[in-house]
């Protein structure tokens, strides 16, 4: 009898696999709406994928089993996903196949790569070679707006620079440099005896402001090539002389305060760094480090001349801790990690949590960081205590000499929420669905967002138990983890309770 049942189940499984559903549509340029031929289309389900090449009319078609898929396209070695990406990731809108699901008329709007180019000149209109241009992109990182430094470009002999293969989005640019004769003197270390006045170029934010508050965002459309030119003007500069309690060597990075509190790299030195020559007026932060320790030094320059900077090194900060569980019966079967997010740069450092629950970061970077847990089992931070460092709203301030000790109370009491978003009884694919805590906490780990699939369905997994509000917004750049941005929706959204279950 057991053999008969097993054979029946096998037959049913094979029959289900044999039944397929059509996924088809047209790939078009998102701006011109013209079909894109000879593009590669991928339909992906976990470890399986299907590939086709679009026809002359941009058409594509798949016959696949019932399931949930991600649809991707590649054209001229540039990739995109179907539907608007969820803020902070590139998952796009899922394609759900099955009975009563129409997936045969998909319109895939392909967003081409964009670019910046421009020219850097001085106040006389002469091209400036070797000027530095920094590109920032505004992103949604864990539900909040963040300005990320993407790269630094250097102008060529004609003062020209370019950035290519960029995704559409919001960008800021900053430029700085040094006159060619000043740069040569700095290179050989003879500025003090040369008799040449320090005349560096100050930091300029596009379209031409020396004040970060005057920086203007550039919204780059798909496929666009935006021209951003700069005129750098000479300013009285100061020589910074680094003074140490004893003879020592080390390296530094010097940043200016940029737009949205982003740090704009101005100068860097790897070794034999006893000073910072020709610094334009402004407010800066100097990070100095060597094997003996590290220092973070605010610097304000108001004119020219020589400015002594006292460097009081403190030991490099460290961070260590232990994860304990709210229930002794809870133990994640899969690896668990603690992620350390720098609040200025957005850089993430990931540490594995050992079997005894401990983790350590002996060479921590100076800065303000936030911790959160990650892993396939959905464990989250229920409560955290910190010794040896100042903590404000969950953000740990790691200064030189800090020896932070953290204890994290972890919980696996999570639940799942799923449903459908409809517009006048029809599915609303692509709608941004937000699940926000009703108490308005500042903890970003309590906020969730996803896009409704082609059938209007959505799913939130590993949600900490508690009271939430569910709502939708049309803006894909919505700061879904900002209490201020979410507050207007708390009164009109749908209140739901997540009844957690122990893992």
């Amino acid at each position: 009898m057991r053999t008969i049942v097993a054979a029946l189940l096998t037959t049913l499984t094979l029959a289900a696999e044999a039944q397929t559903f059509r996924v088809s549509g047209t790939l078009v340029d998102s701006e011109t709406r013209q079909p894109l031929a000879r593009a590669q289309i991928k339909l992906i389900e976990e470890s399986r994928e299907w590939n086709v090449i679009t026809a002359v009319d941009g058409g594509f078609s798949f016959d696949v089993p019932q399931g949930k898929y991600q649809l991707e396209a590649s054209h001229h070695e540039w990739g995109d996903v179907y539907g608007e990406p969820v803020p902070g990731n590139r998952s796009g809108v899922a394609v759900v196949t099955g009975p009563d699901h129409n997936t045969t008329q998909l319109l895939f709007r392909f967003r081409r790569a964009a670019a910046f180019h421009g020219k850097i000149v001085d106040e006389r209109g002469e091209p400036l070679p070797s000027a530095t241009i920094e590109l920032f992109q505004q992103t949604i990182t864990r539900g909040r707006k963040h300005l990320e430094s993407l790269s630094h470009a250097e102008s060529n002999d004609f003062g020209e620079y370019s950035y290519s293969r960029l995704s559409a989005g919001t960008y800021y640019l900053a430029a700085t440099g040094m006159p060619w004769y000043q740069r040569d003197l700095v290179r050989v270390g003879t500025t003090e005896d040369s008799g040449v006045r320090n005349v560096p170029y100050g930091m300029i934010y596009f379209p031409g402001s020396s004040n970060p508050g005057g920086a203007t965002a550039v919204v780059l459309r798909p496929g666009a090539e935006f021209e951003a030119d700069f005129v750098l003007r000479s300013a009285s500069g100061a020589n910074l002389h680094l003074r140490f309690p004893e003879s020592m060597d080390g390296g530094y990075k010097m940043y200016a305060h940029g737009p949205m509190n982003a740090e704009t790299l101005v100068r860097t030195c790897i070794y034999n760094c006893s000073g910072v020559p020709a610094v334009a007026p402004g407010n800066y932060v100097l990070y100095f480090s060597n094997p003996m320790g590290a220092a973070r030094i605010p610097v304000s320059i108001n004119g020219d001349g020589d400015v002594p900077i006292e460097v009081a090194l403190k030991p490099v900060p460290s961070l260590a801790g232990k994860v304990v569980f709210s229930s002794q019966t809870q133990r994640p079967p899969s690896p668990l990690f603690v992620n350390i997010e720098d609040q200025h740069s957005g850089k993430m450092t990931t540490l594995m949590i050992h079997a005894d629950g401990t983790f350590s970061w002996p060479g921590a970077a100076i800065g303000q960081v936030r911790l959160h847990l990650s892993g396939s089992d959905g464990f989250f931070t229920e409560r955290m205590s910190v010794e040896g460092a100042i903590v404000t709203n969950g953000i740990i301030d790691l200064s030189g000499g800090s020896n932070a000790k953290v204890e994290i109370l972890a919980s696996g009491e999570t639940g799942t929420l799923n449903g459908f978003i409809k517009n006048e009884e029809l599915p609303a694919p692509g709608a941004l669905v937000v699940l926000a805590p009703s108490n308005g906490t500042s903890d970003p780990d309590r906020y969730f967002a996803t896009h409704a699939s082609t059938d209007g369905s959505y799913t939130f997994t590993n949600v900490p138990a508690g009271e939430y509000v569910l709502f939708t917004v049309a803006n894909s750049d919505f700061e879904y983890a900002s209490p201020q941005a979410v507050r207007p929706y708390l009164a009109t959204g749908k209140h739901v309770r997540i009844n957690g279950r122990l893992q």
Side-chain angles (χ1 to χ4, degrees), residues 36 108 158 170 236 265 306 322 349 383 426 489:
L36 295 178
F108 194 144
F158 302 99
T170 301
S236 297
L265 183 64
D306 295 332
K322 185 173 185 179
T349 301
R383 189 170 62 251
L426 294 176
Y489 298 90

Side-chain angles (χ1 to χ4, degrees), residues 29-42:
D29 185 290
S30 65
E31 300 300 293
T32 67
R33 300 296 192 267
Q34 294 299 309
L36 295 178
R38 297 184 296 279
Q40 184 183 36
I41 305 291
K42 289 184 180 181

